Amino acid sequence: MRHGPAVRRRKLGEELRGLRVDVGLTSREAARLVGWHQSKVSRIETGASGVRPDDVVRLLDAYGVRDLRLRELLEALAGSAGGGGTGWWHAYRGVIPPQYRDFISLESQACAARTLETSVVPGLLQTPDYARAVTRSALGGVSAATVDSLVEVRLARQEVLRASRPLTLCAVLDEAVLRRQVGGPRVMRAQLRRVLEVAQLPHVRLQVLPFSTGGYAGLTGPFVIFSFPNTSDLDVVVLDHLTSSLYLERKEDLEAYGAAFRTMQAHALPLHDSLDLIAGINDGA
């Protein structure tokens, strides 16, 4: 169990080492090709130090990697692992904590996300008013300007669902998410309409775990499983807590959470029935 940047550095190093080995180069030979000392290659591959995106490009060129999707992913990983890259969220670094920046970085790089939500609507589906109400409740006492900035961040994150290669989102929502009156009836009616609209996108699958399900594997808390193109070795589970986030990368953890999510999908209402339930709750709100 590690925090985000360390996870990314180690994963990136493993990927780069694998690519080097695949083309039959030693670390000394790779270093000579790019004009570095061997120790720099070794530190990068073990995750002991960060690597800049342009250095990743040099290594990928030396290894003859032509897969554009893989190149983009590894370059982006270099940024999120503390290697000097930037993303739109860095403009908010004075407002959002490092662990939230790590989460956004992962979300922006992933090709798919599986999420369980037990209390609130997933951030990628939230309306501005709902996001504002959630932020005020979770962070009581912060200034109005800070709340506005955090809502801006929440809405900017939603671009991953509208990108040319959008994030594939599979979400399982506890029925409590739909019935909790966050922000009041008017805000909730608009929020549930937004959920129904986004659920129509071909890359979004939404299911509801009704109260009648009783207990289930994820009842103790929400989680997100991020998957990445080309390799499952980069997949990570994120557990979000009040003051921090935990990143799980072990194969056993990924298998356990993946199995739990599949079980919850099997016990949840089918897509059509889930949308009918949401519409019914909204009509009665």
Side-chain angles (χ1 to χ4, degrees), residues 239-258:
L239 307 179
D240 203 21
H241 298 283
L242 183 61
T243 58
S244 65
S245 296
L246 296 177
Y247 296 75
L248 309 180
E249 58 169 328
R250 295 187 311 161
K251 181 179 180 181
E252 308 94 281
D253 294 323
L254 291 166
E255 290 176 348
Y257 277 88

Side-chain angles (χ1 to χ4, degrees), residues 167-234:
L167 179 79
T168 297
L169 176 65
C170 293
V172 174
L173 310 183
D174 191 296
E175 186 175 343
V177 170
L178 310 172
R179 296 191 180 277
R180 179 170 287 106
Q181 293 289 308
V182 176
R186 181 187 63 81
V187 170
M188 279 307 299
R189 283 193 296 269
Q191 178 59 73
L192 294 182
R193 286 196 300 271
R194 171 66 64 81
V195 170
L196 291 170
E197 291 169 3
V198 179
Q200 303 303 316
L201 296 173
H203 49 281
V204 174
R205 180 175 179 81
L206 189 148
Q207 292 178 263
V208 177
L209 272 167
F211 288 145
S212 59
T213 301
Y216 57 90
L219 190 60
T220 55
F223 61 85
V224 181
I225 306 172
F226 286 120
S227 298
F228 296 85
N230 300 99
T231 174
S232 62
D233 289 342
L234 297 175

Side-chain angles (χ1 to χ4, degrees), residues 15 100 114 153:
E15 284 297 305
Y100 191 20
R114 289 166 284 171
V153 171

Side-chain angles (χ1 to χ4, degrees), residues 1 5 28 40 47 49-50 78 80 95 99 115 127 137 147 152 179 200 215 242 247 265 267:
M1 184 183 302
R28 185 183 299 277
K40 179 172 180 177
S49 64
S80 69
V95 178
Q99 63 265 26
T115 182
T127 65
S137 298
V147 171
E152 287 178 15
R179 296 191 180 277
Q200 303 303 316
L242 183 61
Y247 296 75
Q265 284 184 304
H267 285 90

